[in-house]
Amino acid sequence: GARPDELLDGSGLIDPVKAGAVMMRNEKPGGHGERSVAVGTLDMALWDLVAKAERKPLWRLLADRYRGGQADPHAWVYAAGGYYYPGKGLEALKDEMRSYLDRGYDTVKMKIGAVPLAEDMRRIEAVLAIVGKGERLAVDVNGRFDLETGLAYARALAPLGLRWYEEPFDPLDYRLHTVLADAYPGVLATGENLFSMQDARNLIRYAGLRPDRDILQFDPALSYGLAEYLRTLDMLGSHGWSPRRCIPHGGHQFALNIAVGLGLGGNESYPDVFAPFGGFADSTPVEGGRIRMPDAPGIGFELKANLWAVMKPLATP
Ligand code: MG
């Protein structure tokens, strides 16, 4: 029921920010999680369409619209993996991490928190032996700790100087984060399970996170799309947070375009997990932990052969 002027910009192209407002018309506040992915997916498709209509890659379109034409030449990306699998020992974990370094990554991430602390420390030491130094390793709890466990891990991890300690707690439990942020001098990271600007704003207001070091991982595809992500970046700016502290979750090409076009701190990558959605364009390998962007119009789905093999039949009836 939207009028054309509610959807189009001055030149008659669809305006994704206006379209986002139409998609959310008459929606109640709150309720995040059940619809934010659906809206985010539609939003992603609209930005792909608009960039193609302008014959620009999305990262270029974003830099032109929102950053005075300034796009980053490349983005820092890190390899996320290190999952627990039955029977996966330290040697298999080390082989996995070595394979990421062989593919051009300089930093890796592994899961922790599903086994006792002493066993996790053996896993962490094994990976550190491969990557060389703490700043090349991030660890991810997926929100499973209580305060006591989170603090015990913090004491064990602090001397290692890790890249970051991710999602120790339920992301909505701000008080736990404030206690941990007071106790842990290293970098904390969270946000992948917050799905709106308002969620992000509460985290920034109440979780005690530190704008000089901590990392925010809001995922634009999961949280109402880029129109909402722009609001989140505005909110962060008004609270003294640089976009460089944002490194989105998800390892998708949409967030990678946003990272380069809007000057974020980088992007997650899943070289092996979530195929064919993990990974980026086939033509742009990771070198020295960084990736350049292709020049093809849109988000670049067509440049990733295994992903395009899935999408093409859907796009061509
Ligand atoms: Mg995570």
Side-chain angles (χ1 to χ4, degrees):
R3 298 189 314 274
D5 65 287
E6 292 178 303
L7 294 169
L8 304 180
D9 65 16
S11 61
L13 270 180
I14 193 150
D15 180 331
V17 173
K18 286 184 168 184
V22 170
M23 282 193 274
M24 292 304 291
R25 194 157 59 194
N26 299 326
E27 286 286 332
K28 292 182 284 189
H32 306 305
E34 65 186 23
R35 65 191 177 196
S36 63
V37 181
V39 172
T41 306
L42 288 171
D43 172 281
M44 177 159 50
L46 291 174
W47 285 101
D48 186 54
L49 190 66
V50 167
K52 281 171 174 158
E54 293 198 14
R55 299 179 199 286
K56 289 178 182 177
L58 179 59
W59 59 268
R60 167 54 58 201
L61 178 137
L62 294 176
D64 289 349
R65 282 197 185 185
Y66 298 109
R67 221 169 144 228
Q70 281 268 318
D72 290 345
H74 36 56
W76 176 73
V77 287
Y78 68 95
Y83 285 72
Y84 296 97
Y85 295 121
K88 180 178 176 182
L90 293 183
E91 286 311 310
L93 179 63
K94 286 158 77 172
D95 287 347
E96 177 193 352
M97 296 305 175
R98 204 176 285 115
S99 85
Y100 297 143
L101 301 186
D102 290 345
R103 280 177 272 178
Y105 293 91
D106 65 6
T107 304
V108 301
K109 186 168 84 183
M110 62 186 285
K111 300 298 182 189
I112 62 166
V115 296
L117 173 57
E119 188 176 342
D120 263 339
M121 291 308 288
R122 285 193 289 276
R123 295 173 64 248
I124 289 168
E125 297 291 350
V127 174
L128 283 175
I130 300 299
V131 299
K133 32 184 175 176
E135 70 193 51
R136 294 182 168 205
L137 172 63
V139 294
D140 185 4
V141 182
N142 285 108
R144 66 173 77 225
F145 286 161
D146 58 17
L147 181 59
E148 187 187 352
T149 312
L151 288 171
Y153 269 76
R155 282 189 292 275
L157 297 176
L160 304 179
L162 298 182
R163 187 63 171 245
W164 65 68
Y165 175 16
E166 176 170 328
E167 217 180 17
F169 307 125
D170 183 303
L172 291 172
D173 198 327
Y174 308 124
R175 187 174 139 62
L176 295 194
H177 290 82
T178 63
V179 176
L180 182 63
D182 274 348
Y184 183 66
V187 178
L188 297 173
T190 193
E192 70 178 73
N193 288 303
L194 298 176
F195 302 117
S196 67
M197 184 280 286
Q198 291 87 347
D199 278 358
R201 189 173 57 197
N202 275 340
L203 182 81
I204 294 303
R205 280 176 174 165
Y206 303 120
L209 297 180
R210 302 150 297 182
D212 67 334
R213 75 194 77 171
D214 292 328
I215 296 296
L216 305 170
Q217 299 171 304
F218 317 121
D219 180 335
L222 299 186
S223 49
Y224 297 107
L226 177 49
E228 181 81 351
Y229 199 76
L230 290 166
R231 284 190 280 275
T232 297
L233 290 176
D234 272 353
M235 176 279 294
L236 290 175
S238 71
H239 286 80
W241 284 75
S242 162
R244 296 288 181 201
R245 306 244 61 83
C246 295
I247 301 176
H249 158 270
H252 47 78
Q253 290 168 290
F254 185 43
L256 185 65
N257 275 275
I258 295 170
V260 165
L262 298 182
L264 307 185
N267 197 45
E268 185 166 26
S269 176
Y270 286 109
D272 293 337
V273 193
F274 307 128
F277 298 97
F280 308 119
D282 301 324
S283 56
T284 54
V286 177
E287 292 171 338
R290 308 192 76 88
I291 188 166
R292 292 187 170 279
M293 297 301 289
D295 274 323
I299 288 173
F301 301 121
E302 301 84 352
L303 303 175
K304 187 167 156 37
N306 61 347
L307 175 58
W308 188 232
V310 173
M311 293 180 71
K312 189 163 188 269
L314 303 173
T316 46

